[in-house]
Amino acid sequence: MKKTMTFALIAFGTAALAHGGVKDKDVMARMEVMKAIGDQVKVIGTMAKGERAFDADAANAALAELAVHSAQIAPLFETPAQDPKSEALPIIWEQWDDFAALAMDTEQTASALAGTITTEVDLRPALGRIGGTCKACHSTYRE
Ligand code: HEC
């Protein structure tokens, strides 16, 4: 569990830096969707840590939004766009089906969890499941 939280924080922390100076518009678009995904996970993460007041509606909305954004991962990464600032590894396009399946896993996990948050106790397990899907992809396909 701790590992997942740490991972999530690392993912948020690098977003601003990674974005700067990107010239390729396809690379920018896929970074933007990842940033949006990170922002939704952050809603749940900050609530889980007690840094933000618990709000079941906001948590469920973040999960629903996460599912919508995750559905955009495969379409946005399909073009093997390059940029010196990109952290995407070329192996994505050599193992496209696996990459697309991992994206779908994030979408389906978020979609299944949306609406299930009723008390604060539900936050951490949900975060753990979501974080696992991010990590499954990043560990292979992101620098
Ligand atoms: C199917 C693969 C995949 C999944 C699933 C995935 N990511 Fe990513 N993510 C990537 C890749 C590849 C990059 C690097 C993109 C680039 O730099 O061109 C990235 C980059 C990012 C970035 C940095 C964006 C930026 O500004 O450069 C954040 C933040 C991020 N991901 C968060 C998440 C979170 C949170 C999840 C889970 C809810 C997630 N990602 C799920 C593949 C994935």
Side-chain angles (χ1 to χ4, degrees), residues 17-143:
L17 285 173
H19 253 88
V22 174
K23 294 197 176 71
D24 186 276
K25 68 171 174 31
D26 292 329
V27 171
M28 190 51 129
R30 72 194 185 202
M31 283 180 169
E32 291 289 349
V33 87
M34 278 299 157
K35 166 115 187 5
I37 285 171
D39 288 345
Q40 300 313 319
V41 175
K42 199 174 184 178
V43 169
I44 300 162
T46 50
M47 266 186 216
K49 284 193 289 175
E51 289 171 1
R52 179 187 169 124
F54 176 71
D55 177 344
D57 289 344
N60 286 312
L63 287 163
E65 191 76 1
L66 179 60
V68 170
H69 283 125
S70 301
Q72 295 177 286
I73 298 175
L76 286 173
F77 276 84
E78 207 163 4
T79 306
Q82 308 279 341
D83 190 285
K85 298 273 179 184
S86 175
E87 295 169 348
L89 296 173
I91 194 180
I92 292 172
W93 298 282
E94 286 160 28
Q95 300 184 172
W96 177 254
D97 290 350
D98 181 57
F99 181 88
L102 289 170
M104 191 183 283
D105 194 34
T106 303
E107 179 193 347
Q108 286 174 348
T109 302
S111 164
L113 287 168
T116 65
I117 308 294
T118 52
T119 71
E120 272 178 277
V121 174
D122 300 324
L123 293 171
R124 281 179 185 269
L127 196 62
R129 282 185 61 195
I130 288 292
T133 72
C134 316
K135 194 173 182 183
C137 187
H138 288 176
S139 61
T140 310
Y141 297 110
R142 184 184 175 196
E143 265 171 28

